[in-house]
Amino acid sequence: QTLYLAFGSKSSILAAALDVAIVGDDAPVPLLERPWVDELRAEEDGSRAVALLCREVTKLFRRVAPLHIAIRAATGDAEVASLLEHDQQSRYATERQCVSILAGKQGFNEELGEERAADIVYGLLSEAVYLLFCGDRGWSAEDWTTWVAATLSSQLFPTPSRPL
């Protein structure tokens, strides 16, 4: 009851918890302004940049996945369903910006293009895929991170970078 008095509704409680879980703290710093995004921009090697992105997303999913299970279970509530839809749109927008950063790296798959690359990243770097592997199939987060980074690198940077 105390939570309902403070937040007003189930969806408000879940939204507040999700906001903190996504960034990992309650500091008012948006996800794309976090230090790891600067590292992503600075990394010259595309495959290493993809691996960095996947490591950060794995950290995020370890925090967010349990909440997503609860949110998906409560989507009979229209406000919670709307929260899930908004979260997915935000995830796509964030991943789309990350793909724009990756597209500026040498060796990016120009034939694939940024839009299709963003779709691939959105599909693979999702809570659902993470939960299938790490929850249902029992993979460790580290094994999933290694696999998803290799899979995305093979799509986004099909020709390994040569040393400069």
Side-chain angles (χ1 to χ4, degrees), residues 92-103:
Y92 178 80
T94 298
E95 290 174 351
R96 180 69 175 87
Q97 289 185 335
C98 289
V99 168
S100 290
I101 293 168
L102 294 172

Side-chain angles (χ1 to χ4, degrees), residues 61-76:
F61 285 167
R62 288 176 97 163
R63 296 186 303 264
V64 169
L67 275 171
H68 262 267
I69 292 169
I71 290 168
R72 288 183 189 281
T75 55

Side-chain angles (χ1 to χ4, degrees), residues 91-92 95 117-130 144 148 152:
R91 183 172 63 80
Y92 178 80
E95 290 174 351
D119 290 348
I120 292 168
V121 169
Y122 179 73
L124 286 179
L125 288 184
S126 72
E127 297 88 357
V129 173
Y130 173 83
W144 183 78
V148 78
L152 285 175

Side-chain angles (χ1 to χ4, degrees), residues 26-78:
D26 61 356
V29 179
L31 185 64
L32 289 171
E33 293 177 21
R34 298 285 169 153
W36 70 266
V37 179
D38 293 333
E39 292 175 39
L40 184 69
R41 286 186 181 96
E43 177 56 62
E44 293 179 14
D45 182 84
S47 291
R48 285 196 300 260
V50 168
L52 176 104
L53 173 63
C54 291
R55 280 192 305 274
E56 291 301 321
V57 168
T58 299
K59 290 178 196 175
L60 185 153
F61 285 167
R62 288 176 97 163
R63 296 186 303 264
V64 169
L67 275 171
H68 262 267
I69 292 169
I71 290 168
R72 288 183 189 281
T75 55
D77 178 318

